Amino acid sequence: DGGITQSPKYLFRKEGQNVTLSCEQNLNHDAMYWYRQDPGQGLRLIYYSQIVNDFQKGDIAEGYSVSREKKESFPLTVTSAQKNPTAFYLCASSIEAGRTDTQYFGPGTRLTVL
Amino acid sequence: AQSVSQHNHHVILSEAASLELGCNYSYGGTVNLFWYVQYPGQHLQLLLKYFSGDPLVKGIKGFEAEFIKSKFSFNLRKPSVQWSDTAEYFCAVSRMNTGFQKLVFGTGTRLLVSP
């Protein structure tokens, strides 16, 4: 099946720890995105990548980092600098970032900081 | 800054009632418009989209939306809802921004359909 997978589904971490969320797609899409979803705030863009080895900050990149070493993978690291990391994180992809393409979403990872 | 407004945060309807969810955006240029739906425990998925052409767009599961450029609106409608339509609905708007399609989401509307 083609699609986007995110792991783990639920993640718990202690304050002060970095944690990496996985996102893999087998859709052969060039563009990938990370969003954060909080109740009553919709989805906000953290980082995006238009092509391998390139990525750009979104609206709320502080305290996060990403890498794009392979086309199919776009992991997100939530660092200890992120002041309010507890949230639902969604990964998405689209054929290209520069066209009017639909973004397809993964199932999400719910991160809870204890 | 570009913004998307969904004024109804929570909507409760009985089965067979008609549905209209409002969506307004602030950007005045050429936009692409989307409605996404998130059913309980499921992926966020595309319900319908408007890029150009007929401003009345039909999507999956009997949903439709009308783009009214003069009102900067893209309201979602369904003539008769079902219990299975219980979900959270997000309106989103994109425009070309230095070659990148940035998608801006509204805050979402939670729809509860009672049987």
Side-chain angles (χ1 to χ4, degrees), chain A residues 57-96:
Chain A
K57 293 182 179 180
D59 298 320
I60 55 165
E62 185 176 351
Y64 299 98
S65 66
V66 294
S67 63
R68 186 86 187 276
E69 297 176 1
K70 297 185 296 182
K71 186 175 185 177
E72 59 270 22
S73 178
F74 190 41
L76 173 75
T77 296
V78 184
T79 74
S80 57
Q82 168 50 232
K83 295 178 181 177
N84 186 20
T86 294
F88 189 51
Y89 291 88
L90 287 167
C91 178
S93 71
S94 64
I95 296 174
E96 292 180 17

Side-chain angles (χ1 to χ4, degrees), chain B residues 5-115:
Chain B
S5 299
Q6 292 182 245
H7 303 293
N8 311 105
H9 299 296
H10 294 89
V11 173
I12 301 174
L13 295 172
S14 299
E15 275 195 317
S18 64
L19 170 72
E20 180 160 4
L21 301 181
C23 174
N24 290 89
Y25 60 94
S26 63
Y27 180 63
T30 301
V31 294
N32 304 311
L33 300 155
F34 305 80
W35 274 98
Y36 282 86
V37 60
Q38 193 170 35
Y39 297 103
Q42 295 189 27
H43 297 206
L44 195 67
Q45 57 185 282
L46 182 69
L47 204 53
L48 49 79
K49 61 186 178 183
Y50 172 81
F51 288 167
S52 63
D54 188 343
L56 185 61
V57 180
K58 295 194 183 297
I60 60 171
K61 304 187 181 185
F63 286 91
E64 65 178 30
E66 185 175 13
F67 170 49
I68 303 179
K69 190 174 182 179
S70 61
K71 294 185 177 180
F72 299 91
S73 70
F74 190 55
N75 292 355
L76 181 70
R77 299 194 294 248
K78 186 171 185 179
S80 177
V81 294
Q82 301 172 317
W83 175 79
S84 58
D85 293 324
T86 294
E88 189 160 18
Y89 293 80
F90 293 94
C91 180
V93 178
S94 74
R95 60 181 177 97
M96 300 306 293
N97 182 15
T98 62
F100 165 60
Q101 182 205 149
K102 178 178 176 177
L103 202 54
V104 178
F105 285 83
T107 53
T109 297
R110 286 188 182 270
L111 172 65
L112 175 63
V113 180
S114 58

Side-chain angles (χ1 to χ4, degrees), chain A residues 17-91:
Chain A
Q17 290 181 337
N18 292 355
V19 63
T20 298
L21 282 58
S22 168
C23 177
E24 304 277 332
Q25 55 99 358
N26 61 4
L27 300 168
N28 201 33
H29 286 173
D30 280 328
M32 296 187 74
Y33 315 81
W34 274 105
Y35 292 90
R36 170 181 171 139
Q37 184 179 6
D38 295 282
Q41 295 194 52
L43 279 72
R44 293 179 290 168
L45 182 64
I46 304 172
Y47 266 98
Y48 64 96
S49 168
Q50 299 183 64
I51 199 166
V52 174
N53 293 322
D54 180 71
F55 49 83
Q56 305 293 331
K57 293 182 179 180
D59 298 320
I60 55 165
E62 185 176 351
Y64 299 98
S65 66
V66 294
S67 63
R68 186 86 187 276
E69 297 176 1
K70 297 185 296 182
K71 186 175 185 177
E72 59 270 22
S73 178
F74 190 41
L76 173 75
T77 296
V78 184
T79 74
S80 57
Q82 168 50 232
K83 295 178 181 177
N84 186 20
T86 294
F88 189 51
Y89 291 88
L90 287 167
C91 178

